[in-house]
Amino acid sequence: MIKKILALFSILFAFQFMVLAQSENVKPLTIGEVRTLKSKILNEDRTLNIYLPQGFDKAKSYPVIYLLDGSINEDFIHVTGLVQFFNQMYSMPETIVVGIANIDRKRDFTFHTDLKDLQQDYPTTGHSDKFINFLEKELLPYIGSQYKTTDKYLFGQSLGGLLATEILFKKPEMFNNYFIISPSLWWDDQSLLKQTQLLSKSPDTKKFVYVSVGKDEHPVMVKDAGTLYETLQKAGKKNWTVEYKMMETDNHATILHRSLYEGLVKMFPYKEPQK
């Protein structure tokens, strides 16, 4: 009986040792930081998922991508993977990604509308002005105070594309580069597209603007994206590089990743591997 008890203790000890040994080989996989920014403008805490390049150096300056719909369960993970791939295989410099996690995107990404059907379907709608102020007066200065930064990118799809277009029209100098994917320009009967006078007031400083839409999306979205591209071309900005891509095999659900890839290729050509 005693031998059986001793044997049992030996087995338990060996198992415990194996577990401890294995746990010593387990380390967290870290690609950046999660920060909370207390916004006085929005009167709420906003979660920021921040990707930092491998070997991040606080003394170096980095471009920053501001990603709308940047929650962990939204677009943050696959966009950071795309950026890391472009750092390796293309001429894109190492870049920080700031994913802005959503609380109420219908509230934050849409401007006021008097259309009753939209007010009914989107009861919290119409506060993009506050969110833009949050970006301009709180988020951008905060990131600039935490990291050394250079060019600023804005990535937005769908309602996020609507917001990115609104910023481009009204406050274009907030960002150097705009990636506007499948923008919901149907909002408020395409009223934003009719405000072309805003572009005439924009300074003609160097800027890259990429617009894309999926061929299999709603015909209104396809038409509006094309109209946006034509409007930007006619704005007469000699220092604006404006690109447009019709994604032949994509719909609204599938377009973002492949479309961002195509847009980044326009900015950062393939580089030959170092031998």
Side-chain angles (χ1 to χ4, degrees), residues 68-250:
L68 304 174
D69 297 316
S71 299
I72 291 292
N73 62 347
E74 293 178 310
D75 298 328
F76 180 73
I77 296 294
H78 73 91
V79 169
T80 55
L82 187 64
V83 169
Q84 193 256 5
F85 175 74
F86 266 80
N87 293 161
Q88 288 184 330
M89 303 305 297
Y90 289 80
S91 57
M92 184 179 187
E94 290 186 323
T95 302
I96 296 170
V97 180
V98 177
I100 308 165
N102 279 320
I103 293 177
D104 183 350
R105 67 194 301 272
K106 293 177 182 178
R107 175 198 69 184
D108 292 336
F109 297 171
T110 61
F111 50 85
H112 174 76
T113 179
D114 290 321
L115 297 177
K116 299 302 181 184
D117 57 335
L118 291 180
Q119 290 179 348
Q120 182 176 350
D121 293 340
Y122 298 77
T124 63
T125 192
H127 297 283
S128 63
D129 55 342
K130 289 183 67 174
F131 190 76
I132 292 170
N133 280 336
F134 158 71
L135 294 177
E136 180 182 26
K137 297 176 182 178
E138 292 183 328
L139 179 58
L140 269 63
Y142 173 74
I143 295 299
S145 71
Q146 301 300 306
Y147 314 100
K148 291 186 176 181
T149 65
T150 56
D151 284 359
K152 300 184 291 292
Y153 297 70
L154 182 63
F155 284 8
Q157 183 202 8
S158 193
L159 287 177
L162 174 69
L163 181 77
T165 305
E166 184 181 0
I167 295 173
L168 178 61
F169 275 41
K170 297 179 179 179
K171 295 191 173 184
E173 294 308 291
M174 279 180 63
F175 299 94
N176 308 97
N177 309 290
Y178 290 78
F179 284 65
I180 301 172
I181 316 299
S182 301
S184 297
L185 296 167
W186 50 264
W187 181 259
D188 194 42
D189 279 349
Q190 289 92 11
S191 65
L192 186 59
L193 286 173
K194 299 168 187 174
Q195 299 183 52
T196 55
Q197 78 282 358
L198 295 172
L199 289 174
S200 64
K201 301 175 183 178
S202 301
D204 190 8
T205 53
K206 186 178 179 181
K207 203 171 298 296
F208 179 86
V209 183
Y210 172 75
V211 180
S212 70
V213 69
K215 186 176 181 180
D216 293 334
E217 299 198 60
H218 193 286
V220 172
M221 296 196 73
V222 175
K223 180 177 179 296
D224 288 347
T227 300
L228 173 60
Y229 172 62
E230 293 171 2
T231 299
L232 294 173
Q233 280 192 311
K234 293 176 182 177
K237 306 298 181 184
K238 295 181 180 179
N239 293 306
W240 288 22
T241 300
V242 182
E243 299 283 353
Y244 174 76
K245 180 72 174 182
M246 171 77 77
M247 304 299 292
E248 295 290 335
T249 61
D250 282 292

Side-chain angles (χ1 to χ4, degrees), residues 1 26 41 46 64 71 73 93 129 135 160 258-259:
M1 184 67 179
V26 176
I41 292 172
R46 298 304 297 248
V64 181
S71 299
N73 62 347
D129 55 342
L135 294 177
R258 184 158 31 211
S259 186

